[in-house]
Amino acid sequence: DENNYQHKGEAGNFIFVKPRANANDIVNRMKKEKKILIKSYPNVGELGDCLRVSIGDRECMEIFTKALLEIDK
């Protein structure tokens, strides 16, 4: 994508996103720092450990993307 994240699963109500940092650490920081609830999911094919993100409306997805870019460095 435009932020250089690998992802898959666009056909359902969620997507898997391959983070740059440790997936579990990002899940914990998103909850604590941003009040955003997502899950980590191990061994997603060739992507490995990923974030499982429910698809929401545009505003929610923009908030998630901004938070991910701030945390996942």
Side-chain angles (χ1 to χ4, degrees):
D1 73 355
E2 65 189 46
N3 295 304
N4 295 316
Y5 279 97
Q6 293 179 299
H7 54 85
K8 72 179 202 175
E10 295 86 354
N13 66 344
F14 65 90
I15 59 171
F16 290 113
V17 178
K18 172 69 176 170
R20 297 178 184 110
N22 179 278
N24 290 320
D25 291 344
I26 292 173
V27 168
N28 291 333
R29 287 188 64 196
M30 289 286 251
K31 181 178 179 181
K32 182 178 179 182
E33 298 173 25
K34 305 294 183 178
K35 308 297 188 243
I36 295 174
L37 301 177
I38 56 174
K39 297 179 180 180
S40 62
Y41 207 90
N43 305 317
V44 180
E46 70 279 357
L47 295 181
D49 294 347
C50 289
L51 306 173
R52 184 189 182 279
V53 181
S54 296
I55 296 173
D57 62 30
R58 182 183 258 334
E59 181 182 2
C60 289
M61 298 311 295
E62 288 172 355
I63 291 168
F64 164 77
T65 301
K66 181 180 178 189
L68 180 63
L69 292 172
E70 289 175 13
I71 289 175
D72 188 25
K73 297 181 180 183

